Amino acid sequence: MTFEYKTIEKPIENTLIKEKGSKFIGFAFPVHHETELRAALEKIREEHPKATHHCYAFRIGLNGENYRANDDGEPSGSAGLPIYNQLLAHEITNILVIVVRYYGGTKLGVSGLVKAYKESAKVTLEEANIITKELETEVEIQFNFNQQNTIFTLLSKFDAKVLSFDANENCILTASLKLVQKENISEKLSEMQYVSFEFKD
């Protein structure tokens, strides 16, 4: 099972390479779902309305299972795929890379385009800080008021963050912790009397 993934720390904008008069401007955004993706694409299209092409590739999901490569009018496979291959080469996910092209008057041919889009994506990703993120999960625990200390001690042992705490006679607490700890903490909670818990994933 996977407990972590690699992505970029923050957006990278406006890396530039030139090829026979054409300008290729690269952008990279960390994205987690389609809405963020669409917003980023929209933003770049608005910033570069006169560009000839807005080609992009993205991977979303732990293993990059949601992905697409878009040539935006360039010959099939000459733009989106070389960008996508850079995402694979860097082993990153939850990422969108867009390469905006301003045509410079000289045709580059398919191999020239492949090279330019690959280079632009590569340069953009090399500027990014690639980080490893650990997956988290949330757990809701119910327990008696007098068990508070025991529960809090256990949570701090597993580096869990308390998200909400409702202290009544029967307490309800929600905490987030690293997915890798899920089994260990489940084991400990199962051994306690008057404690019930469930994970929210």
Side-chain angles (χ1 to χ4, degrees):
M1 198 174 167
T2 322
F3 295 117
E4 54 183 41
Y5 64 90
K6 289 200 308 191
T7 190
I8 62 170
E9 186 178 21
K10 54 180 193 288
I12 296 293
E13 304 200 23
N14 298 310
T15 62
L16 174 69
I17 70 160
K18 291 178 177 170
E19 192 64 50
K20 293 184 181 161
S22 278
K23 286 198 306 193
F24 294 85
I25 306 167
F27 301 84
F29 298 95
V31 290
H32 296 92
H33 37 69
E34 300 266 348
T35 12
E36 289 179 310
L37 192 82
R38 281 195 291 275
L41 279 166
E42 212 42 56
K43 168 176 142 56
I44 299 305
R45 285 195 181 114
E46 278 169 19
E47 284 175 18
H48 295 274
K50 293 192 164 73
T52 334
H53 304 280
H54 301 83
C55 305
Y56 65 89
F58 67 80
R59 292 182 80 200
I60 295 179
L62 251 195
N63 304 305
E65 53 276 4
N66 180 359
Y67 63 90
R68 192 174 310 136
N70 186 316
D71 295 316
D72 193 34
E74 292 281 31
S76 177
S78 68
L81 203 56
I83 300 172
Y84 178 68
N85 286 336
Q86 284 303 304
L87 305 184
L88 294 181
H90 286 78
E91 297 177 345
I92 47 182
T93 186
N94 290 351
I95 175 144
L96 162 71
V97 171
I98 307 168
V99 177
V100 171
R101 179 188 180 195
Y102 285 90
Y103 182 54
T106 309
K107 285 203 153 78
L108 299 179
V110 170
S111 64
L113 288 171
V114 168
K115 190 169 158 289
Y117 280 105
K118 173 191 168 180
E119 197 51 37
S120 180
K122 187 167 180 264
V123 167
T124 306
L125 291 172
E126 280 168 358
E127 274 205 20
N129 185 15
I130 294 176
I131 53 171
T132 299
K133 286 204 161 181
E134 291 194 67
L135 291 183
E136 299 205 331
T137 180
E138 279 183 24
V139 63
E140 186 180 279
I141 310 170
Q142 300 195 20
F143 50 92
N144 292 339
F145 190 74
N146 61 2
Q147 293 174 293
Q148 276 185 72
N149 287 351
T150 322
I151 296 291
F152 276 99
T153 308
L154 178 71
L155 290 174
S156 75
K157 193 179 143 195
F158 286 106
D159 284 334
K161 292 184 209 60
V162 176
L163 304 174
S164 68
F165 179 45
D166 196 357
N168 292 311
E169 205 165 311
N170 290 320
C171 302
I172 298 178
L173 176 149
T174 308
S176 73
L177 69 151
K178 295 196 169 98
L179 187 58
V180 70
Q181 299 285 14
K182 183 175 174 177
E183 244 167 79
N184 303 339
I185 200 165
S186 302
E187 215 170 280
K188 297 281 184 236
L189 288 167
S190 308
E191 291 165 3
M192 296 179 178
Q193 278 188 307
Y194 316 116
V195 171
S196 68
F197 65 97
E198 68 170 325
F199 284 91
K200 296 185 171 186
D201 52 12

